[in-house]
Amino acid sequence: MTRLRPVLAALPLLVLALAACSSPSGSTGEGAEPTAAATAEATADAATVLEECTGVAVIVDSADLELSEPIDVAACVDTDEPILAADALDEAGVATEGTVEWGDQVVCRVNGEPAEDTLITAADGTEYHETCASMPAAFAYWSLWQRSSGGEWGYAQEGLPTLELAPGDAVELLFTLNDQPASPAE
């Protein structure tokens, strides 16, 4: 049996902190950045979930993707049996979109981001808009990570629909922009 368990009593405070950092409604997200306090709180929430979750920990970090409302999820999906990563994300309320060419084996968008109208700028100044036609740009993509119980983070070797996670394992979707962050925070 699988069900989502509330992880932290402080989650409403995180939502309020993130809301206070967001741009007014209708903003495109350009130039919007989370405050250091909100980023630190989201990282602390993820660390707490990773430490306390006996099911499957689900982490989503939009990192340097400039959004009016950053995507920072730290949830524990209660399960006493293996679960597919796609199902764990669904239980945690995280929606993913694949690409036309690769389907749901490649993550193109998480909770609708980056939207096609979101301007993403490479380190060399090249401007890019994600269309989800094929592989995302090598400088701006959602990376998929997994961590076995008690282990270290590593790139997932399978896509969401086939990646099986056991109780105690963790999965993270991390937006990597211009090679940063290079891996999930510990």
Side-chain angles (χ1 to χ4, degrees):
M1 180 174 162
T2 304
R3 66 179 192 277
L4 183 61
R5 173 173 53 106
V7 178
L8 301 169
L11 191 55
L13 295 175
L14 172 63
V15 171
L16 288 174
L18 292 175
C21 299
S22 66
S23 299
S25 177
S27 164
T28 63
E30 290 181 33
E33 294 183 34
T35 65
T39 301
E41 191 168 346
T43 300
D45 289 345
T48 300
V49 168
L50 290 169
E51 183 179 312
E52 296 178 0
C53 183
T54 58
V56 171
V58 174
I59 310 295
V60 179
D61 182 355
S62 57
D64 290 338
L65 181 60
E66 294 182 359
L67 303 173
S68 60
E69 295 183 37
I71 304 170
D72 292 311
V73 174
C76 182
V77 176
D78 277 337
T79 183
D80 54 6
E81 56 191 43
I83 185 173
L84 294 175
D87 294 336
L89 286 164
D90 186 54
E91 290 283 329
V94 177
T96 61
E97 181 181 333
T99 66
V100 173
E101 183 177 357
W102 297 99
D104 54 6
Q105 289 293 327
V106 173
V107 176
C108 176
R109 296 195 209 309
V110 175
N111 291 351
E113 299 293 350
E116 191 167 348
D117 63 352
T118 300
L119 177 64
I120 303 172
T121 306
D124 67 2
T126 303
E127 294 182 346
Y128 175 74
H129 293 273
E130 182 56 68
T131 64
C132 296
S134 189
M135 292 298 284
F139 68 88
Y141 62 97
W142 285 102
S143 55
L144 178 61
W145 296 82
Q146 74 178 88
R147 186 176 96 169
S148 296
S149 182
E152 294 183 10
W153 286 109
Y155 267 117
Q157 300 300 305
E158 299 181 52
L160 292 173
T162 58
L163 177 61
E164 191 171 277
L165 303 164
D169 290 354
V171 63
E172 180 165 341
L173 284 166
L174 174 65
F175 195 81
T176 301
L177 180 61
N178 297 314
D179 298 324
Q180 295 300 318
S183 64
E186 287 298 323

